[in-house]
Amino acid sequence: MQIGFLGAGKMAEAILSAMVNAEMVQPWEVTACDKSEARRNLLASTYEVVVTDDPLLTVKESKVLVLAVKPQDLDALLDQVAPALKTTHLVISIAAGKTLKVLRLHLGPKPRLVRVMPNLALMAGEGMSVYCPDGKIKASDAALVERIFGAAGAAIRLEEKHFDAVTALSGSGPAYVAFFLKAMIDAGIALGLPKEEARLMGEQTLIGTGIYLQQSGRDLDEFIQAVCSPKGTTEAGMKVLNKSTLPKTIAKTLEATAKRSAELA
Ligand SMILES: NC(=O)c1ccc[n+]([C@@H]2O[C@H](COP(=O)([O-])OP(=O)(O)OC[C@H]3O[C@@H](n4cnc5c(N)ncnc54)[C@H](OP(=O)(O)O)[C@@H]3O)[C@@H](O)[C@H]2O)c1
């Protein structure tokens, strides 16, 4: 598959790395385009892919194009590459807040188009990506998008009307999870635990619980209940949590994120 990354920063590298690990591409099939010489050198030396600072060359060399520049850099880049795009191109945008309508406006009618909202956990091969194709997409394109983003975690399809909520829950979610994790670690340290060990304990508890809950599919309330033995330690803690306004604060956090996402779009 001839694939080009327009913008070869953190997210592009995470996608590329997952594809390479899954043996979905050979290095010579990949063109990574970035303004930054440091990024180009890093990707060339790490993955042995073709690197360039020329977006038009990238378009010429690729059938699949991943738009991975920051949203504020995207419009100018799209206007630059649009005249070179053909019906044979599949364009995948991961830019936060850029709607299919806006993307199509810049890209013109020719390329097939998919919008994806990934998250930072892509970098650990455990990302959550939600994609939404433009009307013109082929079934094989959807399957390809699922393969690319599925190589670095989970990938599901949802209608674009959900994208502000997707941004709130999984797009920005890693920051909120890290916030909760930090509070857990700080509380452990306050109870006398050494810093490094407290961090490992917090991280491992988060990872293990997430994996277990996903694999078992257990009902979350039933799981919490099961962990709380009567008059036990977890029950004592859950009493505090249940009386707190934490669920409301989390709801407000996601509402604010979704609102901002809608404003940016
Ligand atoms: N990070 C996240 O958690 C996350 C989550 C979901 C979606 N996204 C989306 O993913 C996209 C990429 O984010 P990122 O964190 O990977 O950004 P990043 O690390 O800043 O990478 C973007 C790269 O593109 C380069 N660039 C800018 N304009 C260019 C142009 N015209 N031609 C070629 N290269 C250009 C930048 O170079 P300079 O630095 O020199 O400008 C930079 O190296 C964004 O649209 C973001 O909304 C990110």
Side-chain angles (χ1 to χ4, degrees):
M1 164 194 355
Q2 296 299 130
I3 184 165
F5 292 88
L6 291 168
K10 295 181 292 292
M11 296 301 274
E13 184 177 357
I15 298 163
L16 170 61
S17 163
M19 290 179 77
V20 169
N21 288 339
E23 296 181 358
M24 283 175 66
V25 281
Q26 299 299 327
W28 57 87
E29 295 175 310
V30 180
T31 308
C33 171
D34 204 283
K35 277 199 312 199
S36 151
E37 191 180 359
R39 289 300 303 167
R40 295 197 300 272
N41 289 343
L42 180 88
L43 292 191
S45 60
T46 311
Y47 304 97
E48 297 176 342
V49 295
V50 180
V51 292
T52 176
D53 63 353
D54 182 355
L56 288 172
L57 181 75
T58 311
V59 171
K60 193 166 162 247
E61 293 298 318
S62 312
K63 291 264 186 290
V64 179
L65 286 160
V66 180
L67 304 174
V69 295
K70 292 279 188 208
Q72 63 269 25
D73 294 324
L74 191 62
D75 291 0
L77 176 66
L78 293 183
D79 294 339
Q80 184 186 357
V81 299
L85 290 169
K86 301 188 173 137
T87 50
T88 45
H89 284 114
L90 170 65
V91 175
I92 301 171
S93 168
I94 64 165
K98 290 281 176 187
T99 62
L100 287 169
K101 193 175 166 195
V102 169
L103 291 165
R104 180 60 75 192
L105 212 63
H106 286 275
L107 291 171
K110 286 185 182 163
R112 285 114 59 212
L113 176 62
V114 180
R115 179 182 173 192
V116 182
M117 185 66 208
N119 73 10
L120 210 67
L122 222 60
M123 292 202 226
E126 288 295 345
M128 180 68 237
S129 302
V130 180
Y131 74 96
C132 172
D134 189 55
K136 286 180 180 171
I137 197 160
K138 301 184 208 165
S140 57
D141 289 338
L144 180 64
V145 171
E146 286 199 14
R147 266 202 328 128
I148 293 173
F149 289 88
I156 58 167
R157 179 172 175 164
L158 277 179
E159 286 177 55
E160 195 177 29
K161 67 178 181 190
H162 295 299
F163 265 50
D164 294 330
V166 168
T167 304
L169 179 54
S170 58
S172 300
Y176 309 145
V177 172
F179 183 92
F180 181 78
L181 176 63
K182 183 172 181 297
M184 290 272 283
I185 294 167
D186 287 347
I189 293 168
L191 287 170
L193 289 172
K195 211 171 164 184
E196 213 175 297
E197 285 80 353
R199 179 167 175 153
L200 176 65
M201 289 158 73
E203 288 166 349
Q204 194 57 29
T205 303
L206 188 138
I207 294 166
T209 309
I211 291 174
Y212 172 73
L213 287 172
Q214 191 177 58
Q215 285 178 353
S216 66
R218 271 176 89 167
D219 177 81
L220 299 184
D221 287 326
E222 179 272 321
F223 172 75
I224 293 169
Q225 199 61 43
V227 183
C228 291
S229 335
K231 297 196 169 44
T233 53
T234 315
E235 190 192 56
M238 280 308 302
K239 273 186 186 160
V240 179
L241 268 181
N242 281 329
K243 272 193 220 145
S244 78
T245 55
L246 191 59
K248 270 194 191 144
T249 305
I250 293 171
K252 276 190 193 163
T253 303
L254 265 64
E255 274 166 28
T257 318
K259 185 167 173 271
R260 183 70 188 132
S261 169
E263 283 166 5
L264 287 175

